[in-house]
């Protein structure tokens, strides 16, 4: 990762970790093929006719001979919500240092940090079989701290490896969010999409509902690629447990690997095609990989929205 998980975990607060992830990403961005891609953390915006003169920053005018208006925390350019899957399947890890939930939490925290620096309003919606919290989108620092507090609660739960089974009902949660959001927003969904196959159509229907309500959608499918996509386990018998329903199955990975990979590819392709049809951005996240591609996917989406 931009910073190794072990190093990040030693930093005292989630906010500090998020800051380091974003700073590392921006530093890498300047050395990549996306060198010209700007990440503006402006404290000012150009003066527009009708703006109150008392908000003009005269020190900036003295340097640049152009009028700029001071940006205040209550001003916002974009309203965005992060829906974070907190179901029990998100507690999985095998090869990696972080569970899918911990990875998703740090990615969400990094997004919030970027949004706040860009004066965008951000909100948080953790969900499993139901919506656990609905923190509305605002752009103040006090509000950002409230979001980090909620994310840190989830980290504590993850660290304790909470025994209760939390099932997933993504479609229900997404439908509810589509109904509750009264203003056009960007909805960023972080989930492993691990539900019964017959419920995939319901999730697609719920995503379509968001688009019908004029919301922009960015869907991140977070998995530990080596285990959950590739089934790249040693050739010996394993007992796999359903983390949400207490069911177990004994498997020799070599015997089922090819068929398993085919089915995973089929369901991923199904979501990718549906998202393309409804103009939804779809991206894969690997918990053993870096955050940079996922952060870049957000920035590209953000730039298109203006």
């Amino acid at each position: 990762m931009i910073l190794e998980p072990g190093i990040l975990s030693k930093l005292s607060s989630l906010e500090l970790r998020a800051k380091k992830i974003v700073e590392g990403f921006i530093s890498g961005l300047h050395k990549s093929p996306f060198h010209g891609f700007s990440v503006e953390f402006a404290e000012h915006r150009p003066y527009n006719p009708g703006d109150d003169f008392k908000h003009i920053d005269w020190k900036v005018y003295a340097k640049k001979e152009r009028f700029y208006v001071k940006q205040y925390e209550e001003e916002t350019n974009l309203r965005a919500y992060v829906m974070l899957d907190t179901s029990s399947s998100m507690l999985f890890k095998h090869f990696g240092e972080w569970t899918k939930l911990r990875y998703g939490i740090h990615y969400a925290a990094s997004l919030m940090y970027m949004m706040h620096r860009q004066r965008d309003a951000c909100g948080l919606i953790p969900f499993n079989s139901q919506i656990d919290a609905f923190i509305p989108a605002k752009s103040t620092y006090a509000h950002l701290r409230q979001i980090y507090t909620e994310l840190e609660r989830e980290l504590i739960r993850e660290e304790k490896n909470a025994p209760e089974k939390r099932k997933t009902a993504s479609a229900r949660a997404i439908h509810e969010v589509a109904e509750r959001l009264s203003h056009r927003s960007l909805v960023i969904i972080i989930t492993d999409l691990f539900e019964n196959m017959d419920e995939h159509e319901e999730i697609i229907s719920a995503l379509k509902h968001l688009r019908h309500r004029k919301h922009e959608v960015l869907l991140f499918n977070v998995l530990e690629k080596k285990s959950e996509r590739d089934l790249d386990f040693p050739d010996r018998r394993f007992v796999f447990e359903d983390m949400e329903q207490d069911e177990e199955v004994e498997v020799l990975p070599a015997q089922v690997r090819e068929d398993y990979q085919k089915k995973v590819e089929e369901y991923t392709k199904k979501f990718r095609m549906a998202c393309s049809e409804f103009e939804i951005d779809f991206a894969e996240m690997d918990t053993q990989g870096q955050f940079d591609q996922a952060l870049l996917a957000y920035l590209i989406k953000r730039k298109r929205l203006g």
Side-chain angles (χ1 to χ4, degrees), residues 121-137:
C122 53
L124 178 67
I125 308 170
F127 72 95
N128 39 81
S129 61
Q130 62 184 15
I131 288 177
D132 285 339
F134 196 106
I135 302 177

Side-chain angles (χ1 to χ4, degrees), residues 211-222:
R211 292 293 292 132
H212 180 72
R213 296 296 293 257
K214 308 301 182 184
H215 300 299
E216 296 289 338
V217 184
L218 183 50
L219 175 62
F220 286 105
N221 182 204
V222 54

Side-chain angles (χ1 to χ4, degrees), residues 48-62:
N48 295 316
D51 286 336
D52 195 323
F53 261 48
K54 69 181 180 182
H55 296 314
I56 290 177
D57 191 323
W58 296 104
K59 291 182 179 178
V60 173
Y61 174 77

Side-chain angles (χ1 to χ4, degrees), residues 85-132:
D85 184 350
T86 60
S87 61
S88 293
S89 66
M90 292 288 285
L91 295 174
F92 174 79
K93 70 171 183 176
H94 184 78
F95 295 106
E97 292 190 46
W98 281 1
T99 65
K100 290 178 285 187
L101 181 58
R102 178 167 288 262
Y103 190 93
I105 287 170
H106 281 79
Y107 179 64
S110 303
L111 282 181
M112 302 297 185
Y113 180 82
M114 290 179 68
M115 290 174 191
H116 176 71
R117 290 293 303 270
Q118 291 176 302
R119 296 297 185 260
D120 292 332
C122 53
L124 178 67
I125 308 170
F127 72 95
N128 39 81
S129 61
Q130 62 184 15
I131 288 177
D132 285 339

Side-chain angles (χ1 to χ4, degrees), residues 189 191-193 207 217-223 229 264-265 267-276 279-285 297 301 304:
I189 305 170
T191 177
D192 57 9
L193 290 175
L207 293 169
V217 184
L218 183 50
L219 175 62
F220 286 105
N221 182 204
V222 54
L223 295 173
R229 288 197 188 279
V264 170
E265 179 59 31
Y267 102 78
T268 303
K269 183 178 179 181
K270 181 178 182 179
F271 274 99
R272 193 180 296 280
M273 290 179 65
C275 287
S276 177
E279 297 182 321
I280 293 169
D281 291 73
F282 178 89
E284 296 176 10
M285 297 174 74
K301 180 79 167 180
R304 286 207 307 266

Side-chain angles (χ1 to χ4, degrees), residues 28-46:
L29 198 65
H30 293 159
K31 301 173 185 176
S32 74
F34 295 93
H35 177 74
F37 200 103
S38 64
V39 183
E40 296 181 2
F41 292 148
E43 300 295 333
H44 303 82
R45 62 171 171 79

Side-chain angles (χ1 to χ4, degrees), residues 83-247:
M83 292 187 67
L84 176 65
D85 184 350
T86 60
S87 61
S88 293
S89 66
M90 292 288 285
L91 295 174
F92 174 79
K93 70 171 183 176
H94 184 78
F95 295 106
E97 292 190 46
W98 281 1
T99 65
K100 290 178 285 187
L101 181 58
R102 178 167 288 262
Y103 190 93
I105 287 170
H106 281 79
Y107 179 64
S110 303
L111 282 181
M112 302 297 185
Y113 180 82
M114 290 179 68
M115 290 174 191
H116 176 71
R117 290 293 303 270
Q118 291 176 302
R119 296 297 185 260
D120 292 332
C122 53
L124 178 67
I125 308 170
F127 72 95
N128 39 81
S129 61
Q130 62 184 15
I131 288 177
D132 285 339
F134 196 106
I135 302 177
K138 296 181 182 179
S139 57
T140 64
Y141 179 71
H143 184 72
L144 182 68
R145 284 299 317 150
Q146 181 186 353
I147 288 174
Y148 282 145
T149 298
E150 182 64 31
L151 290 173
E152 283 166 347
R153 282 198 197 102
E154 287 296 337
L155 278 180
I156 292 171
R157 174 183 163 273
E158 185 259 11
E159 287 168 357
K160 292 181 177 179
N161 198 18
E164 78 273 13
K165 299 294 182 181
R166 303 174 83 174
K167 296 183 179 180
T168 315
S170 302
R172 186 192 310 165
I174 295 169
H175 276 303
E176 182 177 340
V177 168
E179 289 297 325
R180 290 181 66 172
L181 295 183
S182 55
H183 301 285
R184 186 170 182 265
S185 305
L186 168 62
V187 181
I188 301 163
I189 305 170
I190 303 171
T191 177
D192 57 9
L193 290 175
F194 270 7
E195 299 187 40
N196 292 331
M197 295 291 287
D198 56 1
E199 293 180 12
H200 286 175
E201 289 296 338
E202 268 297 305
I203 299 175
I204 291 171
S205 175
L207 293 169
K208 186 178 178 180
H209 187 188
L210 274 175
R211 292 293 292 132
H212 180 72
R213 296 296 293 257
K214 308 301 182 184
H215 300 299
E216 296 289 338
V217 184
L218 183 50
L219 175 62
F220 286 105
N221 182 204
V222 54
L223 295 173
E224 186 184 85
K225 182 179 182 297
K226 187 174 181 180
S227 58
E228 294 181 302
R229 288 197 188 279
D230 300 338
L231 203 68
D232 189 11
F233 291 94
D235 290 333
R236 60 181 173 82
R237 291 197 173 274
F238 284 83
V239 175
F240 293 103
E241 177 187 352
D242 186 323
M243 300 182 73
E244 297 185 12
Q245 301 189 52
D246 283 328
E247 296 179 2

